[in-house]
Amino acid sequence: PPSDTTPEPSTASATPQPSTQPAPGSDSIYEIAKATPDFSTLTAAIEAADLVETLSGPGTFTVFAPNNAAFAALPDGTVEDLLKPENKAQLQAILKYHVLPVEVFSKDLTEGLTAATVDGPSVTVTSVTPPTINDASEIINPLDVAASNGVVHTIDAVLTPPTLYAYLGTLGDYSTLLAAIDAADLKDTLNGAGTFTLFAPTDAAFAALPDGTVEDLLKPENKDQLVAILTYHVLGTEVTSADLTLNLKATTVNGAEIEITSLDPPTINDASEIVPPLDVGASNGYLHTIDAVLIPPSDTTPEPSTASATPQPSTQPAPGSDSIYEIAKATPDFSTLTAAIEAADLVETLSGPGTFTVFAPNNAAFAALPDGTVEALLLPENKAQLQAILKYHVLPVEVFSKDLTEGLTAATVDGPSVTVTSVTPPTINDASEIINPLDVAASNGVVHTIDAVLTPPTLYAYLGTLGDYSTLLAAIDAADLKDTLNGAGTFTLFAPTDAAFAALPDGTVEDLLKPENKDQLVAILTYHVLGTEVTSADLTLNLKATTVNGAEIEITSLDPPTINDASEIVPPLDVGASNGYLHTIDAVLIPPSDTTPQPTPAGGSTQPTAMPHGGSMQPAAQPTVPGGPCMTDADAEASVATLEACAARECPDTDFNLKLKDAPNQKGCASATCDDVLDCKKNKNWACGNYHKLRKANEECGAARDPPVSGGACTTELEAAEICVLEALINDYYTDLTCTVPPEYIADLSDCKNSDGACRTAAAGVAAMVAAFAAL
């Protein structure tokens, strides 16, 4: 169930109070569940979560008990995974979200009533006809089942706790933390799937920092430092207060360790106490409140091969009065560096406020580069490449020589990391020694001289240092493009994440990685690469660029930056490598069919490629239709997108209401929701009504053609796609429907009599949608 089904707490609601009811039953809540066949999955979950004692002992609980059908409606494999011992904490959080600490009987329910669960997050009664929780789960019979320790109500869907981020938003004492999470671009992480533990500083904890600290951290130029601090408050595994032991050490997402230095009270790093609320279970982990902000130690050295600690500012004498740029400008041995800073338009950055560390190559370091390299880099047309190289010498935080430890890894302002590979002498990346002068304090950071220019990793090598591009790397290897993306160049790579590849139809990635489909894989990958360097600052609305594939991509939005109306550019972006720039995207780009060879399935025959909606399959030109307009491309596109989302069970918040003619849907289903679409009983009338309306509109368009087209004429392939999906729903899924498809219309779909051939081009485009609905 989607995590966004949890409404904001109602200000008008109070915590429910125990109702005056007949004497409680003799059996406990657990015993009632155990004795009820329709609660067998719930019983197994209670036992796996070690909640038998809690729900058997004394109490005044209200349990919203999902029946077996509710658990069965979860995605395949979910229940089995939750019952595994390693997922016990997650299972506990979900079950506790179904339990209130007080008895609430059905007569107590009022619309808008909100109540905190035993684990902290609240549930809301969003309707009383029928009684519904969180707009997601109806209370059904049996209800008001009295137990010795409370009351049980049956519900028809499993409730999902809010995410860590969403839960913080319902409270009043974490506004600074939320602002920091937003500024650090960590909202999606703490709103997404995971098994995190978040130690959440209160507003008072942030207020206790030195004056101006919070304001400075929230500035865009200090984002990397803010990320380092926030990720030091997050573990990648779920830890409850019961798991804490004295001197327990745990590695944070930052890479540095925290330590439990006391249990009475529970304290981290001798600095921050864990205070109520704690052990708050969210859908993606646990939240514990702390009374002081944790500062990552600068002397912590993680294993170089795993996570890396972000260095923090050292305690040093007062900063110098000159900026980093002014120091470089005044130092004769930095004359080449100064020229490079100016050519790269980085004067303002290195003159303005900041807490930078610059590893500054001296003139001899630049002179040691191959002949002509410096001169070429200083040319205006190579500015982007020069910027990437220089930014690879800059850290976003101050690191003094005393902070250096062997193996210390720190991300540069451009993304790729540098590593201290020796301290005798201090050496970066096994390539460049830090020499005198070092620890030169500036007004905006510190400067260390180095004896060799650092080279950023290649695009391919940088992808290998990250954890979210394994599928892309495997595809690059299978396509024999490793040498290209490891070699010299001025590329721009739009890099799909593992999640982007996982969103393709089942089996697509596996097929593409087969040797016999290498040409198709090359065509798709090269559609993600430009031959020139483009940064986010270069993007303009409707900008078109020719890819290495030969086909064009287009920037169809700037807020958020989007390619082909299909794939958003998301962080990390503007990552400078030695051979170009990397931007992350959230969906795989599909090149036009005329540039993509067809894959060869196992059977040897060539089949049409299923084109995900929103790729480069463009709507056919809409002919002029005398006699009145048909459904617009925009409306059709919105409707098909919603159909796809429902097929993937990624239901949007908005009503699922196709924007067709003004006539209402048949039988009053004018505002069917996305849940209705997934409910066979509710959706029958919706499918029939919309199918007939859309078919009628299509036939009207055909009749208005000159000459008329009998049987119907799809005006765009998007309209045709929608008709085809509705037809599949009716014929292949809702087998008990009484509405039928006229034979002449089936013939029209098959023969494509319409002038623009839309049905034929839509057939491949809707294949994945039809398959997804059939799988339901």
Side-chain angles (χ1 to χ4, degrees), residues 23-42:
S26 58
D27 292 331
S28 70
I29 289 170
Y30 170 72
E31 290 169 330
I32 289 171
K34 184 82 169 175
T36 305
D38 203 26
F39 290 152
S40 59
T41 308
L42 174 62

Side-chain angles (χ1 to χ4, degrees), residues 307-357:
S308 46
T310 302
Q312 293 302 309
S314 301
T315 303
Q316 295 292 333
S321 58
D322 292 332
S323 70
I324 290 170
Y325 170 73
E326 289 169 332
I327 289 171
K329 185 82 170 175
T331 305
D333 203 25
F334 289 151
S335 60
T336 308
L337 174 62
T338 301
I341 292 170
E342 293 168 351
D345 280 345
L346 293 176
V347 172
E348 184 176 350
T349 300
L350 295 177
S351 298
T355 54
F356 301 115
T357 298

Side-chain angles (χ1 to χ4, degrees), residues 11-270:
T11 55
S13 56
T15 302
Q17 298 302 313
S19 301
T20 304
Q21 294 293 332
S26 58
D27 292 331
S28 70
I29 289 170
Y30 170 72
E31 290 169 330
I32 289 171
K34 184 82 169 175
T36 305
D38 203 26
F39 290 152
S40 59
T41 308
L42 174 62
T43 301
I46 292 171
E47 293 166 351
D50 281 345
L51 293 177
V52 172
E53 184 176 350
T54 301
L55 294 177
S56 298
T60 55
F61 302 116
T62 297
V63 172
F64 298 106
N67 58 18
N68 288 349
F71 282 103
L74 295 175
D76 290 346
T78 301
V79 173
E80 292 76 11
D81 284 343
L82 287 172
L83 295 178
K84 293 176 180 176
E86 59 266 32
N87 296 325
K88 182 172 119 179
Q90 186 179 8
L91 178 60
Q92 283 185 337
I94 292 172
L95 292 181
K96 289 180 179 179
Y97 189 60
H98 292 74
V99 183
L100 306 182
V102 293
E103 290 178 327
V104 179
F105 291 85
S106 60
K107 74 179 186 64
D108 302 321
L109 301 179
T110 58
E111 190 167 333
L113 182 70
T114 296
T117 62
V118 293
D119 227 15
S122 296
V123 292
T124 299
V125 177
T126 49
S127 171
V128 291
T129 53
T132 305
I133 307 295
N134 290 359
D135 272 331
S137 184
E138 289 185 17
I139 300 174
I140 59 177
N141 286 314
L143 70 162
D144 288 329
V145 178
S148 61
N149 55 349
V151 61
V152 179
H153 304 294
T154 308
I155 56 175
D156 67 355
V158 177
L159 299 170
T160 302
T163 64
L164 289 165
Y165 181 88
Y167 178 61
L168 287 172
T170 68
L171 306 173
D173 200 26
Y174 302 90
S175 58
T176 308
L177 176 59
L178 282 169
I181 291 170
D182 289 343
D185 282 338
L186 293 176
K187 175 181 176 179
D188 289 346
T189 301
L190 293 177
N191 239 347
T195 54
F196 303 114
T197 299
L198 171 63
F199 297 102
T202 61
D203 289 343
F206 279 102
L209 294 174
D211 289 347
T213 300
V214 172
E215 292 76 9
D216 285 342
L217 287 172
L218 295 178
K219 293 176 180 176
E221 59 266 29
N222 296 325
K223 176 180 167 183
D224 287 343
Q225 187 180 12
L226 179 60
V227 169
I229 292 173
L230 291 180
T231 53
Y232 189 60
H233 291 74
V234 182
L235 307 181
T237 56
E238 292 177 323
V239 176
T240 68
S241 60
D243 300 321
L244 302 181
T245 58
L246 190 61
N247 301 321
L248 174 71
K249 294 183 179 180
T251 302
T252 65
V253 174
N254 164 296
E257 286 185 339
I258 57 173
E259 182 178 358
I260 302 300
T261 50
S262 171
L263 292 176
D264 187 20
T267 306
I268 301 173
N269 292 356
D270 279 327

Side-chain angles (χ1 to χ4, degrees), residues 399-455:
V399 179
F400 292 85
S401 59
K402 74 178 187 63
D403 301 321
L404 302 178
T405 56
E406 190 168 333
L408 181 69
T409 297
T412 63
V413 292
D414 225 15
S417 297
V418 293
T419 300
V420 178
T421 48
S422 171
V423 290
T424 54
T427 306
I428 307 294
N429 291 359
D430 273 332
S432 184
E433 289 185 18
I434 300 175
I435 59 177
N436 285 314
L438 71 163
D439 289 328
V440 179
S443 61
N444 56 349
V446 60
V447 179
H448 306 294
T449 308
I450 56 174
D451 67 355
V453 176
L454 299 171
T455 302

